[in-house]
Amino acid sequence: MAEELKLFRTWSSVFALRIVWALKIKGVEYETIFEDLSNKSPSLLQYNPVHKKVPVLVHNGKPIAESLVILEYIDETWRETPLLPEDPYERAMARFWAKFGDDKVLTSIVWGVFFKEGKEQEEAMLEAMEHLQFLEDELKGKRFFGGERIGFVDLALGWLANMISIFEEVAGLKMVDEDKFPLLAAWMQEFADSPIIKDNWPPRDKMIAKFQALRDAKLAAAASK
């Protein structure tokens, strides 16, 4: 019996992109179901009743939600081209940096810097710079966070390689300066240019339009309070 593998995603979700990249790296065939989050399908609500969001991976009828959880499931199910290191300590550290990326880096950049302005944005920028410095330090002596090839942490942080420049363009500021973060800037470029990664980025013009509209709406709402 053939395996059934479905990925529920949206065209723009950076969290779903992690799963796309992982499955492509593993060479695993899957079916894509694109969701409209303003009109969620009964299937999405059935498969992810807790969070009601993408991504969701459905493997032979069994759903797995939350992108970092899905990445680990993929790595444990399809052993070829491992994403996590074999050493238990290194595996733990990979999980740590992936979680740090979501809890600290993404939160400070998106909700702090990008959706703020003025003094609030300046304060958030200081926090975001501290978090980016930790990533810069972690890359010392490495080509990728995973070593010589793309691994778990690279996929978890991969959104930086695309979204930072979009946020910079929309908000009119600079976050990752090559002089201040040379290793991070070089990693972003090499990661973004890797064939499997590059071939699956969403259209840049559509992403800029989407995040310009989101930022305008957030700032307008904050100003009206």
Side-chain angles (χ1 to χ4, degrees), residues 126-141:
L126 292 175
E127 182 184 3
M129 293 300 103
E130 288 180 11
H131 297 152
L132 291 175
Q133 186 61 54
F134 281 118
L135 299 185
E136 176 76 10
D137 294 342
E138 182 61 18
L139 278 168
K140 287 177 180 174

Side-chain angles (χ1 to χ4, degrees), residues 143-154:
R143 180 181 175 192
F144 295 104
F145 286 97
E148 281 303 303
R149 59 183 176 83
I150 290 171
F152 185 81
V153 180
D154 299 283

Side-chain angles (χ1 to χ4, degrees), residues 150 158 188 197:
I150 290 171
M188 285 168 57
I197 307 302

Side-chain angles (χ1 to χ4, degrees), residues 11 61 79 87 94 100 147 189:
W11 70 270
R79 300 285 184 172
D87 181 77
F100 174 79
Q189 187 64 56

Side-chain angles (χ1 to χ4, degrees), residues 215-225:
R215 184 170 193 265
D216 290 347
K218 289 281 185 186
L219 295 180
S224 66
K225 288 181 181 178

Side-chain angles (χ1 to χ4, degrees), residues 80-119:
E80 309 82 4
T81 318
L83 301 174
L84 280 162
E86 287 186 26
D87 181 77
Y89 177 77
E90 290 180 4
R91 290 171 76 89
M93 288 298 94
R95 294 183 180 106
F96 171 86
W97 287 114
K99 186 167 170 44
F100 174 79
D102 279 3
D103 292 351
K104 297 295 186 179
V105 182
L106 188 145
T107 301
S108 64
I109 288 175
V110 177
W111 299 106
V113 177
F114 186 67
F115 285 137
K116 296 287 194 302
E117 57 185 350
K119 185 170 173 49

